[in-house]
Amino acid sequence: MKIVMLGAPGAGKGTQAKKIAAKFGIPHISTGDIFRANIKNETELGKKAKAYMDQGLLVPDELTVSLVTDRVVQEDCKTGYVLDGFPRNIPQAEALTEALDEMGEALGFAINVEVPDANIVRRMSGRRACVGCGATYHLEYAPTKEEGICDTCGKELILREDDKPETVEKRLRVYHEQTQPLIDYYREKGILYSVDGTKDIQDVFQNILKLLEA
């Protein structure tokens, strides 16, 4: 069960990736986690990645693919894994396909969580984060008992820079340019499955399970 999750930022693919991983007992793999683990363990790949990150540069595709393929050959990935946030573009996808081919493996599912841009902007701009403990809330879906005040520690809530409508719209533009072509790429491979991400989290998950268990 080798799965890649697709979808715009804020579509909820990370939440679904974690639920799939928990349900099937397979690792949830995000590039952020891989980078952090390699940097912490001071691996050769980690040192190379850190050199780019310290300069505020994006880690090159080739190095990112090496980090991911190094992760998916580990023992806990034998029965499968869920890739979240990778690949981000066609060159990464092609490099991943090539690397898996060389290992005699292939992805089985590319699950696209579909949510219209307008929903995403509304969803993300409704998020609020606590300045004290970092707890997150949502004005509509998960409000606090007292408006603007954290339920956990009583500190003030803010709208993070990342969640401001103009920032979200910019991230969506980048997604449509770079990442959305992956949908066609995996459709051509015959492994693309789409679900309606506007539904309740549990309903989306049930629909994903139907696809995976079909």
Side-chain angles (χ1 to χ4, degrees):
M1 191 166 281
K2 298 175 176 73
I3 303 163
V4 61
M5 299 298 292
L6 304 174
K13 64 182 181 297
T15 301
Q16 296 301 332
K18 285 174 189 157
K19 288 175 82 65
I20 294 165
K23 166 79 176 171
F24 294 101
I26 55 177
H28 167 228
I29 299 173
S30 78
T31 43
D33 291 344
I34 295 174
F35 288 159
R36 282 188 288 275
N38 277 271
I39 289 166
K40 186 183 172 191
N41 296 327
E42 297 187 341
T43 67
E44 279 310 306
L45 291 171
K47 286 173 189 170
K48 287 179 185 172
K50 188 173 186 296
Y52 286 99
M53 291 161 82
D54 284 350
Q55 296 174 67
L57 301 170
L58 284 174
V59 178
D61 287 350
E62 194 180 325
L63 180 53
T64 304
V65 173
S66 296
L67 284 156
V68 173
T69 49
D70 181 63
R71 176 68 185 88
V72 300
V73 295
Q74 291 174 26
E75 193 60 36
D76 63 341
C77 291
K78 283 279 187 281
T79 56
Y81 47 81
V82 189
L83 290 176
D84 173 17
F86 178 89
R88 284 187 185 275
N89 54 41
I90 295 294
Q92 287 185 356
E94 289 172 342
L96 178 64
T97 299
E98 203 175 299
L100 290 173
D101 278 348
E102 284 171 16
M103 295 189 282
E105 294 186 4
L107 290 169
F109 299 87
I111 295 172
N112 178 33
V113 182
E114 292 184 311
V115 180
D117 285 5
N119 292 47
I120 287 173
V121 174
R122 190 169 70 247
R123 192 184 276 186
M124 292 180 78
S125 60
R127 288 180 182 173
R128 293 294 182 271
C130 173
V131 295
C133 66
T136 54
Y137 301 91
H138 196 282
L139 298 179
E140 197 177 335
Y141 310 117
T144 50
K145 293 186 185 77
E146 189 181 340
E147 194 180 334
I149 301 297
C150 177
D151 287 348
T152 310
C153 72
K155 294 270 173 65
E156 173 197 6
L157 301 183
I158 56 160
L159 172 61
R160 286 184 300 210
E161 200 63 43
D162 264 7
D163 294 332
K164 289 182 176 172
E166 56 273 27
T167 311
V168 175
E169 283 162 9
K170 188 178 171 188
R171 287 172 69 193
L172 286 169
R173 278 197 299 277
V174 172
Y175 164 76
H176 289 305
E177 284 166 21
Q178 295 182 5
T179 312
Q180 200 168 15
L182 292 171
I183 292 165
D184 291 333
Y185 177 83
Y186 286 116
R187 184 181 285 121
E188 284 167 22
K189 296 267 177 209
I191 62 166
L192 182 77
Y193 301 86
S194 292
V195 292
D196 180 355
T198 63
K199 295 183 175 174
D200 176 77
I201 288 172
Q202 201 52 37
D203 290 340
V204 177
F205 182 54
Q206 289 306 318
N207 289 335
I208 291 173
L209 287 186
K210 280 177 197 165
L211 294 172
L212 295 175
E213 294 172 338

